[in-house]
Amino acid sequence: MKFKFTDTKVDSVFGMTDDIKKNLTYFNTNKDTISILWNQNNTPVTLEIDNTIIELQPNQLITTTYLHYVSYQKTEKPLTAFMFNRPFYCIRDHDSEVSCNGILFFGTQELPIVTIPEDQKRKFSTLYEIFIDEFSTSDKIQGDMLQMLLKRLIIICTRLAKEQLTLKKLNNEQIDLVRRFNVLVDEHFKTKRKVSDYADLLFKSPKTLSNIFALYNQSSPQQIILSRIALEAKRLINYTDKQNQEIAYDLGFNDPAHFSSFFKKMTNYSPTKYRELNKN
């Protein structure tokens, strides 16, 4: 089963399938695609995100953005997917309408997995059936209806995420600050390496950022910046033909030796050794 809604006037796309591995080429996903993946099976489903194996348990959902590299090569069972691009539904534009919806889309630093409680399974199943019905109804307001249903799905998942993830200590403003910091790191990590750089962009002090992240998890803002650089280095090694020197310059290192030292410190392997270990 696969459905796709498109509006060529604004280049918006929204699709849904009960088997993303089988139907991935149908949706022609690109750099703007955001996905909500849902395991509706009675057993776990395996997928790979940024070279990390994820086992999605029954009735769990995970969100990915265009910043992630997702592979379904190891996925052996059907995996339900909702996929949309920013013109169809922009997370940032809806922040004021959906309180804290950003906690599902923190950027590359988080892979939020949400578990559907037993008493909410019927709610999700009903919403799923309504999606199918609406995709089958082609009229002038179909796009509006689908956007409304997607918004409802995001709201429900957001409420569960706030309960299940390590977010109870944070208020809405603090949650949004964590998300915006991660998004800024994704945008500027090649040129901005200091916490103070991001504190300035957020109109906060470095100490304020550190205190909030101490409440949220054990990774400091500086660790997140360095981890983001290391993640991109791994991606370039795993998914491109670029050599170590090219990667070093791409990531803002003036000296390849400095990059090699940084990479080994972050991963315990030199770039060359890491490349050898991860050859298919």
Side-chain angles (χ1 to χ4, degrees):
M1 178 270 289
K2 59 184 185 292
F3 298 102
K4 181 168 62 174
F5 169 84
T6 59
D7 185 343
T8 56
K9 293 180 181 178
V10 293
D11 199 28
S12 70
V13 179
F14 178 43
M16 184 180 84
T17 176
D18 61 354
D19 192 340
I20 182 58
K21 180 178 182 179
K22 178 181 177 181
N23 298 311
L24 183 61
T25 56
Y26 172 75
F27 294 101
N28 190 29
T29 55
N30 56 39
K31 64 180 181 179
D32 290 328
T33 303
I34 297 170
S35 301
I36 300 174
L37 307 174
W38 175 13
N39 180 12
Q40 294 199 70
N41 300 283
N42 294 322
T43 53
V45 169
T46 300
L47 65 155
E48 189 174 338
I49 302 176
D50 287 324
N51 212 35
T52 299
I53 301 299
I54 304 293
E55 270 216 344
L56 204 60
Q57 299 300 314
N59 294 303
Q60 284 189 334
L61 302 96
I62 189 170
T63 57
T64 65
T65 75
Y66 39 85
L67 298 171
H68 297 102
Y69 284 82
V70 183
S71 170
Y72 302 104
Q73 186 175 352
K74 301 180 185 297
T75 305
E76 298 181 350
K77 298 172 184 175
L79 182 62
T80 298
F82 301 88
M83 293 164 291
F84 57 97
N85 63 0
R86 295 174 73 179
F88 182 81
Y89 189 97
C90 182
I91 302 304
R92 293 185 184 182
D93 291 348
H94 288 78
D95 272 351
S96 61
E97 298 178 32
V98 185
S99 176
C100 293
N101 69 17
I103 70 177
L104 295 176
F105 311 97
F106 264 154
T108 54
Q109 299 302 324
E110 296 293 328
L111 282 172
I113 297 178
V114 175
T115 301
I116 302 173
E118 191 68 33
D119 61 355
Q120 294 202 34
K121 288 181 181 178
R122 182 177 177 183
K123 180 191 297 185
F124 276 83
S125 295
T126 300
L127 183 58
Y128 182 72
E129 294 299 323
I130 296 174
F131 266 114
I132 293 175
D133 184 62
E134 194 55 49
F135 267 114
S136 303
T137 304
S138 180
D139 57 26
K140 292 183 179 180
I141 61 172
Q142 183 186 34
D144 294 329
M145 289 294 292
L146 288 171
Q147 189 180 86
M148 181 183 68
L149 291 173
L150 176 60
K151 181 176 178 179
R152 177 167 174 76
L153 176 63
I154 290 174
I155 290 174
I156 296 172
C157 290
T158 295
R159 288 172 176 168
L160 292 176
K162 195 171 182 182
E163 286 296 313
Q164 296 173 12
L165 305 179
T166 55
L167 296 166
K168 291 185 178 181
K169 296 179 181 178
L170 304 182
N171 59 39
N172 288 357
E173 182 180 351
Q174 290 170 324
I175 291 172
D176 186 58
L177 186 63
V178 171
R179 182 188 64 82
R180 286 190 291 136
F181 174 82
N182 280 284
V183 171
L184 286 172
V185 170
D186 281 323
E187 293 175 353
H188 301 291
F189 69 91
K190 293 181 181 180
T191 57
K192 299 183 187 297
R193 305 285 175 88
K194 298 178 180 179
V195 176
S196 58
D197 294 332
Y198 296 95
D200 289 343
L201 292 173
L202 294 165
F203 303 102
K204 301 291 182 182
S205 71
K207 184 176 181 180
T208 296
L209 287 179
S210 296
N211 289 340
I212 290 176
F213 273 86
L215 287 174
Y216 171 59
N217 59 22
Q218 296 181 350
S219 296
S220 69
Q222 187 63 58
Q223 288 173 324
I224 288 174
I225 296 169
L226 298 179
S227 295
R228 181 62 181 90
I229 299 168
L231 173 61
E232 192 67 18
K234 291 178 183 177
R235 287 176 170 178
L236 293 172
I237 291 172
N238 289 324
Y239 304 113
T240 74
D241 295 326
K242 291 185 177 183
Q243 298 305 305
N244 297 342
Q245 185 173 349
E246 293 179 88
I247 294 173
Y249 292 138
D250 279 354
L251 296 179
F253 291 89
N254 295 323
D255 182 0
H258 182 202
F259 164 67
S260 182
S261 175
F262 164 81
F263 190 85
K264 188 169 185 178
K265 182 178 180 181
M266 296 296 294
T267 67
N268 294 321
Y269 299 105
S270 68
T272 300
K273 185 64 176 178
Y274 181 84
R275 190 187 302 273
E276 292 174 356
L277 292 172
N278 287 275
K279 282 183 179 180
N280 292 329

